[in-house]
Amino acid sequence: MIRSVLFDFDDTLGDYKEAQEEAKKIISVFLNEKKIDPDAFWEVFHQRNEKLFQQYTADKISLSDYRSARFRFEGLNAEDIQHINTLYMGYANENVQLFKDVEPVLTTLLKNNKEIAILTNGPSDGQRTKLKCLNFLGQDLKFFISSEIGLAKPSLSYFLYVLDHLNLSPNETLMIGDSLENDYFGAQKAGIPALLLDRKGHCVRKDISVIHSLYEVLKYPGLDIKA
């Protein structure tokens, strides 16, 4: 029987992409004031951000280098970059809203005595700020933040660390996340059953266990959920 449900946070529980888009609007005003084309700036940002983030989670670059390098652009000095980073983190991290299915589903899981753990990559300060929106659950969650434990998804060592600290075997857990590589395949490498949360129906692979809403989690065999 499944005893613990493991959730990714960004764009699984919290709508981080939407918060990012709002942060970009605020920063674009500043870029216009600096006579910099926002479209060109964000195109470069998106080309490099994910690669830099992967380098950070793999301990190849420092957190400060990651946060400054992602916003470098011709016409911006170090003070400008710091200002943009402050705007970005301040708005994007502090304004993440939970998807509408999160509270009822997590509440139902807890009522059915299922342990909930949040598995998330990223710097501790930003992730802890985002996770405050889960306060409605009180102290009933466990958090595994990559920068705090020195390991990151999708590494096998990360998921083995989680299992060890939860004192559970793989078949007693279930992983849910929106990233095929980090959440789905990462969990499977450790023998953990996984569901890919594909809210917008982008995944067309037939070999992937896909759900389109968290409500579908409650029907998962082995959870034995009672309404």
Side-chain angles (χ1 to χ4, degrees):
M1 180 180 290
I2 303 296
R3 293 170 52 195
S4 182
V5 185
L6 317 176
F7 289 95
D8 168 59
F9 182 78
D10 289 333
D11 297 313
T12 296
L13 302 181
D15 193 353
Y16 186 48
K17 283 188 175 68
E18 181 61 27
Q20 286 176 306
E21 289 304 310
E22 292 302 314
K24 285 166 62 176
K25 292 177 183 177
I26 296 171
I27 293 168
S28 292
V29 173
F30 173 75
L31 293 173
N32 280 319
E33 292 172 352
K34 299 287 292 186
K35 308 300 182 185
I36 291 173
D37 179 6
D39 290 337
F41 175 86
W42 291 117
E43 181 178 356
V44 171
F45 170 82
H46 288 300
Q47 287 173 356
R48 66 162 67 117
N49 184 54
E50 184 60 28
K51 182 179 180 180
L52 288 167
F53 182 72
Q54 294 300 330
Q55 291 176 346
Y56 161 69
T57 57
D59 286 328
K60 294 181 179 179
I61 60 174
S62 69
L63 177 57
S64 61
D65 285 343
Y66 160 62
R67 285 177 169 167
S68 61
R70 60 181 175 171
F71 291 125
R72 284 179 189 150
F73 196 82
E74 185 177 354
L76 296 174
N77 59 33
E79 184 178 347
D80 294 331
I81 292 170
Q82 178 59 44
H83 178 62
I84 290 172
N85 187 66
T86 299
L87 289 174
Y88 187 82
M89 289 182 59
Y91 195 92
N93 292 339
E94 294 175 8
N95 290 277
V96 174
Q97 301 294 314
L98 295 176
F99 290 104
K100 292 181 180 180
D101 52 6
V102 174
E103 184 169 354
V105 170
L106 268 60
T107 300
T108 298
L109 289 172
L110 291 173
K111 286 181 178 178
N112 281 265
N113 299 313
K114 304 302 177 182
E115 183 176 50
I116 294 174
I118 310 299
L119 281 57
T120 181
N121 284 353
S124 179
D125 54 355
Q127 297 307 94
R128 288 284 177 183
T129 298
K130 297 176 198 173
L131 292 168
K132 288 179 181 178
C133 64
L134 291 169
N135 281 347
F136 70 92
L137 295 171
Q139 303 300 313
D140 295 322
L141 304 181
K142 291 183 171 61
F143 300 106
F144 295 91
I145 300 173
S146 62
S147 65
E148 295 180 358
I149 64 177
L151 301 165
K153 297 181 291 183
S155 70
L156 174 61
S157 55
Y158 177 95
F159 286 96
L160 294 179
Y161 177 97
V162 172
L163 290 173
D164 181 62
H165 279 70
L166 294 177
N167 194 28
L168 294 172
S169 62
N171 61 7
E172 292 177 307
T173 61
L174 174 66
M175 178 73 203
I176 294 100
D178 71 302
S179 170
L180 196 57
E181 179 180 358
N182 287 343
D183 303 317
Y184 190 86
F185 289 135
Q188 286 196 329
K189 282 191 295 186
I192 299 172
L195 298 173
L196 178 71
L197 178 61
D198 182 21
R199 292 185 180 276
K200 296 186 177 181
H202 294 315
C203 182
V204 296
R205 291 181 55 170
K206 303 299 183 182
D207 59 328
I208 303 297
S209 298
V210 175
I211 59 174
H212 302 291
S213 163
L214 290 182
Y215 288 113
E216 296 176 59
V217 174
L218 301 178
K219 301 176 184 178
Y220 187 81
L223 273 175
D224 191 27
I225 296 297
K226 297 176 176 58

